[in-house]
Amino acid sequence: MSAAEETAEPHDDTAKPWGEVTPEAARKLLVAAVEAFAERGYHATTTRDIAGRAGMSPAALYIHYKTKEELLHRISRIGHDKALEILQAAAGGPGTAAERLDGAVRSFVRWHAERHTTARVVQYELDALSDEHRAEIIELRRRSDTAVRRILNDGVKAGEFDVPDVPGTTLAVLSLCIDVARWFNAQGRRTPDEVGALYADLVLRMVAAQK
Amino acid sequence: MSAAEETAEPHDDTAKPWGEVTPEAARKLLVAAVEAFAERGYHATTTRDIAGRAGMSPAALYIHYKTKEELLHRISRIGHDKALEILQAAAGGPGTAAERLDGAVRSFVRWHAERHTTARVVQYELDALSDEHRAEIIELRRRSDTAVRRILNDGVKAGEFDVPDVPGTTLAVLSLCIDVARWFNAQGRRTPDEVGALYADLVLRMVAAQK
DNA sequence: CGGCGCGCTAAGCGCTTGCTCACCTTCGGG
DNA sequence: CCCGAAGGTGAGCAAGCGCTTAGCGCGCCG
């Protein structure tokens, strides 16, 4: 990070979701793009729509971003960084494998529910990225997979878990959590916390050793 | 049925994937559209691309379909009918709740893996449908939900399952299966049968009563 | 054999798209 | 009090979009 960069925000990016995006106009455009992409999908969203939601002219977009695809990449990159951070924090934390798996699923699911607008873009618009940008993102996803697999392996080694197929179960756990972004509805009956608790319970049952 | 066995059921026209679509030219266009939609997404696919894949001129599309959206609707409708049929067959079949749930997940997942190109369109392009068409499809999805919930309720009543939150678990089971269409890769290591078996096992663990 | 209708194509219409460019403000520093 | 950079706008371009239309070839029936 360059010392010349000046931010009014303290180093808490969880309080203000897109706090790392500056200046203000660039953030407004990015937030507008997240909403539009989540609602209609990347390809069905026009640059005029994004600019309009941000209260600016279509040309303003190109002062802060080179192309529409770069906007998607910035969103995807920041979102994947956050998702990976959540999983790695849970995987590397203290506690038994069961406790860490519970924490990982709970917080990962809560993020997908709470920020389901962002998550929908992050998880379901990968195909719209350029080859280079997609490769960069896929590497982040590989690391997410590694973090979860580590918890499962630890649990098996410790005798806490009974998991015949660790790679397959890792895939299933991540898939289950990610798909929350697709169906979660903020107006629905369940809160993000409730979904997180339910899913953590279901996942723990999937891997639990028989007693 | 043994794994990796190639079967071409002669008497069943649903075994031939798009057998119900006639005439031949309409089927060729529809198959081309499924491929294109699955690869690039509905909005990123052009009518010229679809026609080109079918070896026809762009105008030919409009002899058999009124609009590009009608093509998507036909695909979505046929796919959802098939998915619902699979679940209802499993839910209404013989056997214990555990056996029926195993069968439902196994065949539902196998369909999503085997026909993941179709399933990707069917499951992830709903937003592109018109309001009327989407409402029609959502009704089919509601019935899929009902079929699975029925199995879970039966299992709880019979004491086979321990499921504190039946609606939530129903959602999770369906979500898990559906998301197979997103990540499944035909060139990957796992066959559709293997994924079906793995997932059936994981789901049964999620709902099993403690012993 | 003549004519008719169906399936298809070549050409293209009207419109929207991502993006650009000439120009206009605003504003801190000499 | 002027200046230049930074950030914004209105108008518009080239390309590509979904879709239409005029007309062509060809199997079928009298």
Side-chain angles (χ1 to χ4, degrees):
Chain A
M1 272 295 155
S2 76
E5 186 170 26
E6 183 194 39
T7 53
E9 302 296 322
H11 271 7
D12 188 3
D13 54 2
T14 57
K16 191 159 195 174
W18 301 105
E20 61 268 68
V21 182
T22 54
E24 172 69 12
R27 174 168 52 242
K28 263 172 44 180
L29 284 163
L30 188 137
V31 168
V34 168
E35 279 175 24
F37 290 163
E39 254 175 51
R40 313 195 211 274
Y42 175 82
H43 288 292
T45 298
T46 68
T47 54
R48 284 163 179 81
D49 183 20
I50 296 170
R53 287 176 192 243
M56 308 177 85
S57 80
L61 199 151
Y62 295 90
I63 294 163
H64 300 281
Y65 304 95
K66 239 172 64 185
T67 63
K68 179 179 150 188
E69 191 269 347
E70 186 189 311
L71 240 180
L72 176 63
H73 174 244
R74 288 283 286 271
I75 294 166
S76 196
R77 173 74 212 223
I78 294 172
H80 273 92
D81 281 344
K82 184 67 190 162
L84 178 57
E85 180 196 312
I86 289 170
L87 286 177
Q88 285 184 334
T96 65
E99 285 165 355
R100 285 185 288 143
L101 185 58
D102 180 282
V105 170
R106 200 177 284 262
S107 52
F108 197 54
V109 164
R110 195 168 46 208
W111 183 77
H112 279 84
E114 227 154 40
R115 312 201 48 69
H116 65 278
T117 313
T118 300
R120 212 163 288 172
V121 179
V122 163
Q123 301 292 0
Y124 293 105
E125 301 287 350
L126 287 187
D127 292 344
L129 290 170
S130 71
D131 288 345
E132 291 169 17
H133 285 163
R134 187 170 43 248
E136 175 195 322
I137 297 296
I138 284 175
E139 168 59 19
L140 292 176
R141 295 172 77 86
R142 211 189 46 75
R143 285 192 239 168
S144 292
D145 191 273
T146 301
V148 172
R149 187 160 49 227
R150 195 170 91 201
I151 308 181
L152 293 189
N153 276 326
D154 289 352
V156 169
K157 209 176 298 177
E160 292 179 65
F161 298 161
D162 167 35
V163 181
D165 180 352
V166 170
T169 306
T170 302
L171 195 57
V173 169
L174 279 170
S175 165
L176 189 65
C177 297
I178 285 170
D179 203 51
V180 168
R182 182 178 56 86
W183 61 258
F184 186 84
N185 182 347
Q187 276 94 288
R189 260 196 308 269
R190 297 163 202 282
T191 66
D193 272 321
E194 287 166 357
V195 179
L198 170 63
Y199 270 51
D201 176 55
L202 291 174
V203 167
L204 283 178
R205 285 160 167 253
M206 287 193 337
V207 301
Q210 320 281 12
K211 299 207 167 143
Chain B
M1 196 175 285
S2 64
E5 183 178 11
E6 190 188 295
T7 55
E9 281 109 332
H11 61 289
D12 192 1
D13 62 350
T14 57
K16 182 162 58 178
W18 302 105
E20 60 269 68
V21 182
T22 54
E24 172 69 12
R27 175 168 53 242
K28 263 172 42 181
L29 284 164
L30 189 135
V31 168
V34 169
E35 278 175 23
F37 291 162
E39 254 175 51
R40 314 198 212 274
Y42 174 82
H43 288 293
T45 299
T46 69
T47 54
R48 285 164 179 79
D49 183 20
I50 297 169
R53 286 175 192 244
M56 307 178 84
S57 81
L61 199 151
Y62 294 90
I63 293 161
H64 300 281
Y65 303 95
K66 240 172 63 185
T67 62
K68 178 179 149 188
E69 191 269 346
E70 186 189 311
L71 240 180
L72 175 63
H73 173 243
R74 287 283 286 272
I75 293 166
S76 196
R77 174 71 212 223
I78 294 172
H80 274 92
D81 281 345
K82 183 67 190 163
L84 179 56
E85 180 196 314
I86 288 170
L87 287 177
Q88 285 184 336
T96 65
E99 287 165 354
R100 285 185 287 144
L101 185 59
D102 179 282
V105 170
R106 200 177 284 263
S107 52
F108 198 53
V109 164
R110 196 168 46 207
W111 184 77
H112 278 83
E114 227 155 41
R115 311 203 49 69
H116 65 278
T117 313
T118 300
R120 211 163 287 171
V121 179
V122 163
Q123 301 292 1
Y124 293 104
E125 300 288 349
L126 286 185
D127 292 346
L129 289 170
S130 72
D131 287 346
E132 290 168 18
H133 285 163
R134 187 171 43 248
E136 175 195 323
I137 297 295
I138 284 176
E139 169 59 19
L140 293 176
R141 295 172 77 85
R142 210 188 48 73
R143 284 192 240 168
S144 291
D145 191 274
T146 301
V148 172
R149 187 160 50 228
R150 196 170 91 201
I151 308 180
L152 293 189
N153 276 327
D154 289 351
V156 169
K157 210 176 296 176
E160 292 178 65
F161 298 161
D162 167 36
V163 180
D165 180 352
V166 170
T169 306
T170 302
L171 195 56
V173 169
L174 279 171
S175 166
L176 188 64
C177 297
I178 285 170
D179 203 51
V180 168
R182 183 178 56 85
W183 60 259
F184 187 83
N185 183 346
Q187 276 93 290
R189 260 195 311 265
R190 296 162 202 283
T191 67
D193 272 321
E194 287 166 356
V195 179
L198 170 64
Y199 270 51
D201 175 56
L202 291 174
V203 167
L204 283 178
R205 284 160 168 254
M206 289 193 336
V207 301
Q210 321 282 11
K211 293 194 176 161

